[in-house]
Amino acid sequence: EVQLVESGGGLVQPGGSLRLSCAASRFTFSGYWMTWVRQAPGKGLEWVANIKQDGSEKYYVDSAKGRFTISRDNAKNSLYLQMNSLGAEDTAVYYCARGPSKSNAFDIWGQGTMVTVSS
Amino acid sequence: DIQMTQSPSSLSASVGDRVTITCRTSQSISSYLNWYQQKPGKAPNLLIYGVSSLQSGVPSRFSGNGSGTDFTLTISSLQPEDFATYYCQQSYSSPPEATFGQGTKLEIK
């Protein structure tokens, strides 16, 4: 079964950093754009960042620019999100998703990893 | 930036009902409109892509329609497992940023 598994979430103090990982399996990871989407508690979905197949293009939501870095290691079938200068507004479940693919949809999602920014 | 307006924000319905959720965009997005279902504590699940194409494994009671700026998701006969939150999503812009609607929580009447 095609699968994405996130890890690396946890409790971090304001101003701190965290690195999320997403391990892909049973599909050709290097053939797809990949994306991070987050969901604050009780709120809707927010696109955070995406990265092209070879890592040559990366895009971020305005609130993440300059603080977050998306990257990938195709040899390890892994996607990453380095998050710096974290604030309470970054508290959310972070999902990795495959895509944008057909019609720019996200067709496979991980189970999510919770990031809590609090002192 | 393309703005999305999804309505209603919540909806109460009974098993067997036909329900329609609407998504409106601030500018034409061609056919780059997708729908997701999310159940509590779970990741979103792609239902419909490209306005009206059913994702593999999704029951045929789900359908999508629309063009330009106005789109709908219809569930023809609600089943108990359909009570969830639904989101529309567009990625028309270049570079490929994505925007989600605010969500529609579908509850049992």
Side-chain angles (χ1 to χ4, degrees), chain A residues 10-23:
Chain A
L11 176 63
V12 60
Q13 292 190 338
S17 299
L18 211 55
R19 188 194 195 208
L20 306 183
S21 299
C22 172

Side-chain angles (χ1 to χ4, degrees), chain B residues 86-102:
Chain B
Y86 294 85
Y87 294 93
C88 57
Q89 173 250 325
Q90 71 82 22
S91 285
Y92 175 72
S93 55
S94 179
E97 302 175 3
T99 310
F100 291 89
Q102 299 90 336

Side-chain angles (χ1 to χ4, degrees), chain A residues 39 50 59 95 102-104 106 110, chain B residues 36 38 43 50 55 91 95-96:
Chain A
Q39 186 170 37
N50 56 24
Y59 303 100
Y95 296 102
K102 48 194 177 185
S103 293
N104 287 347
F106 307 111
Chain B
Y36 301 83
Q38 186 180 34
Q55 174 69 347
S91 285

Side-chain angles (χ1 to χ4, degrees), chain A residues 33 37 39 43-47 50 57 59-60 62 65 95 100 102-112, chain B residues 1 31-34 36 38 42-46 49-50 55 87 89 91-92 95-102:
Chain A
W33 281 81
V37 175
Q39 186 170 37
K43 303 297 184 182
L45 300 169
E46 180 184 37
W47 169 79
N50 56 24
E57 295 181 33
Y59 303 100
Y60 301 90
D62 284 348
K65 290 176 182 175
Y95 296 102
K102 48 194 177 185
S103 293
N104 287 347
F106 307 111
D107 61 350
I108 304 294
W109 295 67
Q111 85 287 353
Chain B
D1 292 0
S31 62
Y32 293 99
L33 193 286
N34 310 301
Y36 301 83
Q38 186 180 34
K42 300 294 186 182
N45 181 48
L46 178 64
Y49 63 93
Q55 174 69 347
Y87 294 93
Q89 173 250 325
S91 285
Y92 175 72
E97 302 175 3
T99 310
F100 291 89
Q102 299 90 336

